[in-house]
């Protein structure tokens, strides 16, 4: 039986790409009693309410910076998924204090509110950008991970765990919607550096793994999703071949500050002696002294690897990439851009893609 059956769940950032898919899978497969969607923008909540039309959903306007609101909202909760974040690299670079307030202080507020309410389990969703971070977004998410893992020392009642994933296809602000929009407007696909690789995964698979890690975790682990990757060049070429025309161009605009050639999901240091292979995941055991967790994994062999990155994982070839894109609807002639690009004019789009304003 599902651990979520008849449970009460709160999702911070529940109106975002990940939050909506999580909500859909929980409602479809796990029969929870109630899911509380916690976020700031009322329009996104109203739209989500209409599209889901499910009485088990409750919508709460709130900001993770507001611990009082979080504490009230978590009353009677069994599980909390923490997905609220400022996640656009350039936005975080340009508004560092805001990024710290939401991603770091907000995460600490989630922890304290969960402890105050004896929540059973808190799952923090983190990113490859948090590993050896080069930009402030990554730094804030790395701080979030540290706070969440350390919270296991503060209470016996609440279990805290992190799950780290790389890019999912088509999430708000990601490169596939950008390419599709560029095809319709400038007919030029912009690439910063042709050597670049990125993890690539479907949102539904990522959420399936978030739920699996929630079930499997005992507290203090970082679950790392094993994801394949692709070169950004292959991605652009597949999109050009499938959806472009003879005039479609690929333009190189140069690597930008805060951007890596390859993304890393398990760092060299983490990989040294504390990683367990668990099928769909690598599990990074805590650096902190959490005896019950270490006891739980004591018989599991440690993995020997240098690091896990988007170059040494499986790199999809163009056929596999095309199949994956097709299967997930990204090559359909009509495409829903979600809110990020839908209202941009041609001029705004050019500004974003040419003036160092976009990092995937
Ligand atoms: N997208 C990816 O490929 C990817 C990969 C790895 C990890 N992640 C992580 O997964 C999580 C979700 O990403 P996503 O792609 O779903 O992001 P998203 O679509 O941009 O959604 C972000 C959500 O957070 C909410 N939010 C932002 N600031 C908030 C605040 N101060 N208080 C309360 N809610 C707030 C937003 O709603 P309002 O603006 O209405 O508040 C929205 O619901 C993030 O933590 C991200 O770091 C994403």
């Amino acid at each position: 039986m599902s651990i979520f059956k008849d449970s009460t769940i709160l999702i911070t950032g529940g109106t975002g790409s990940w939050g909506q898919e999580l909500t859909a899978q929980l409602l479809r497969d796990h029969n929870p009693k109630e899911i509380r969607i916690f976020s700031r923008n009322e329009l996104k909540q109203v739209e989500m309410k209409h599209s889901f039309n499910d009485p088990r959903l409750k919508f709460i306007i709130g900001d993770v910076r507001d611990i009082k609101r979080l504490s009230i909202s978590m009353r009677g909760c069994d599980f909390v998924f923490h997905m609220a974040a400022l996640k656009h690299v350039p936005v975080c670079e340009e508004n560092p204090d805001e990024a710290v307030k939401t991603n770091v202080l907000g995460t600490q507020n989630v922890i304290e509110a969960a402890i105050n309410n004896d929540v059973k389990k808190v799952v923090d969703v983190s990113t490859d950008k948090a590993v050896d971070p080069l930009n402030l977004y990554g730094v804030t998410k790395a701080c979030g991970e540290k706070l969440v893992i350390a919270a296991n020392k503060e209470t016996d009642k609440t279990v805290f765990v992190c799950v780290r994933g790389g890019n999912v296809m088509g999430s708000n602000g990601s490169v596939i919607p950008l390419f599709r929009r560029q095809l319709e407007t400038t007919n030029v696909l912009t690439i910063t550096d042709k050597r670049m690789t990125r993890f690539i995964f479907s949102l539904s698979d990522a959420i399936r793994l978030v739920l699996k890690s929630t079930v499997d975790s005992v507290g203090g682990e970082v679950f790392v999703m094993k994801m394949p990757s692709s070169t950004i060049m292959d991605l652009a070429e597949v999109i050009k071949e499938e959806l472009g025309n003879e005039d479609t161009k690929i333009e190189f605009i140069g690597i930008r500050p805060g951007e890596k050639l390859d993304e890393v999901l398990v760092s060299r240091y983490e990989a040294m002696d504390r990683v367990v292979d668990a099928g769909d995941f690598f599990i990074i055991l805590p650096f902190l002294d959490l005896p019950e967790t270490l006891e739980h994994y004591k018989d599991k062999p440690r993995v020997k690897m240098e690091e896990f990155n988007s170059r040494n994982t499986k790199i999809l070839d163009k056929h596999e990439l095309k199949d994956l894109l097709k299967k997930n609807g990204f090559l359909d002639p009509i495409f829903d851009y979600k809110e990020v690009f839908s209202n941009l004019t041609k001029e705004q789009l050019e500004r974003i893609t040419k003036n160092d304003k976009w990092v995937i």
Side-chain angles (χ1 to χ4, degrees), residues 48-111:
M48 184 172 170
K49 186 174 178 168
H50 286 308
S51 71
F52 278 80
N53 191 23
D54 191 305
R56 292 169 292 176
L57 283 190
K58 299 280 176 288
F59 289 85
I60 302 172
I61 294 287
D63 192 318
V64 291
R65 299 175 186 190
D66 180 353
I67 188 167
K68 197 166 154 213
R69 186 75 177 140
L70 273 172
S71 288
I72 292 168
S73 307
M74 281 187 207
R75 278 186 193 148
C77 267
D78 302 295
F79 298 97
V80 170
F81 292 91
H82 178 38
M83 296 187 162
L86 290 180
K87 67 156 206 184
H88 291 278
V89 171
V91 171
C92 293
E93 291 300 307
E94 285 165 19
N95 304 276
D97 49 343
E98 299 299 314
V100 169
K101 280 186 214 155
T102 295
N103 297 358
V104 182
L105 303 180
T107 300
Q108 182 59 25
N109 287 340
V110 169
I111 291 166

Side-chain angles (χ1 to χ4, degrees), residues 16-265:
S17 310
W18 286 55
Q20 294 213 31
E21 177 64 23
L22 174 63
T23 305
Q25 290 195 22
L26 282 167
L27 291 173
R28 190 190 64 206
D29 303 333
H30 298 278
N31 208 9
K33 184 165 98 192
E34 183 174 305
I35 300 180
R36 300 177 189 164
I37 302 295
F38 184 98
S39 65
R40 297 163 306 168
N41 184 299
E42 62 174 347
L43 180 62
K44 286 192 222 165
Q45 291 199 355
V46 170
E47 284 173 356
M48 184 172 170
K49 186 174 178 168
H50 286 308
S51 71
F52 278 80
N53 191 23
D54 191 305
R56 292 169 292 176
L57 283 190
K58 299 280 176 288
F59 289 85
I60 302 172
I61 294 287
D63 192 318
V64 291
R65 299 175 186 190
D66 180 353
I67 188 167
K68 197 166 154 213
R69 186 75 177 140
L70 273 172
S71 288
I72 292 168
S73 307
M74 281 187 207
R75 278 186 193 148
C77 267
D78 302 295
F79 298 97
V80 170
F81 292 91
H82 178 38
M83 296 187 162
L86 290 180
K87 67 156 206 184
H88 291 278
V89 171
V91 171
C92 293
E93 291 300 307
E94 285 165 19
N95 304 276
D97 49 343
E98 299 299 314
V100 169
K101 280 186 214 155
T102 295
N103 297 358
V104 182
L105 303 180
T107 300
Q108 182 59 25
N109 287 340
V110 169
I111 291 166
E112 287 173 25
I115 291 175
N116 293 342
N117 282 286
D118 292 340
V119 170
K120 287 186 194 138
K121 203 170 255 191
V122 175
V123 179
D124 174 58
V125 175
S126 188
T127 159
D128 48 11
K129 307 264 185 314
V131 184
D132 297 338
L134 257 191
N135 48 59
L136 185 72
Y137 168 58
V139 171
T140 59
K141 293 294 286 189
C143 286
E145 282 189 7
K146 293 282 182 203
L147 291 169
V148 167
I149 299 304
N152 286 288
K153 292 192 84 67
E154 302 298 316
T155 173
D156 292 333
K157 299 213 168 119
T158 308
V159 160
F160 293 89
V161 57
C162 294
V163 53
R164 222 184 247 170
N167 288 323
V168 298
M169 296 182 291
S171 62
N172 291 333
S174 62
V175 72
I176 296 172
L178 176 67
F179 282 163
R180 298 256 348 207
R181 186 73 175 158
Q182 287 178 329
L183 277 184
E184 280 187 6
T185 52
T186 54
N187 209 13
V188 178
L189 307 181
T190 55
I191 287 185
T192 59
D193 191 301
K194 63 163 71 163
R195 294 166 297 169
M196 193 170 280
T197 61
R198 284 295 179 266
F199 289 107
I200 187 160
F201 211 45
S202 75
L203 183 53
S204 63
D205 281 341
I207 294 302
R208 185 178 55 77
L209 293 188
V210 169
L211 289 169
K212 190 166 188 302
S213 62
T214 311
V215 174
D216 294 350
S217 52
V218 294
E221 311 98 315
V222 178
F223 278 68
V224 178
M225 299 179 189
K226 287 187 190 167
M227 294 177 149
S229 71
S230 102
T231 69
I232 208 73
M233 206 47 211
D234 281 350
L235 184 62
E237 279 175 0
V238 167
I239 289 188
K240 181 181 163 186
E241 284 160 18
E242 294 298 310
L243 298 163
N245 53 39
E246 66 268 23
D247 295 327
T248 306
K249 293 197 171 50
I250 295 179
E251 195 176 293
F252 301 99
I253 59 176
I255 197 156
R256 291 174 271 207
E259 212 175 31
K260 292 177 179 172
L261 284 181
D262 307 312
E263 293 288 1
V264 181
L265 268 170

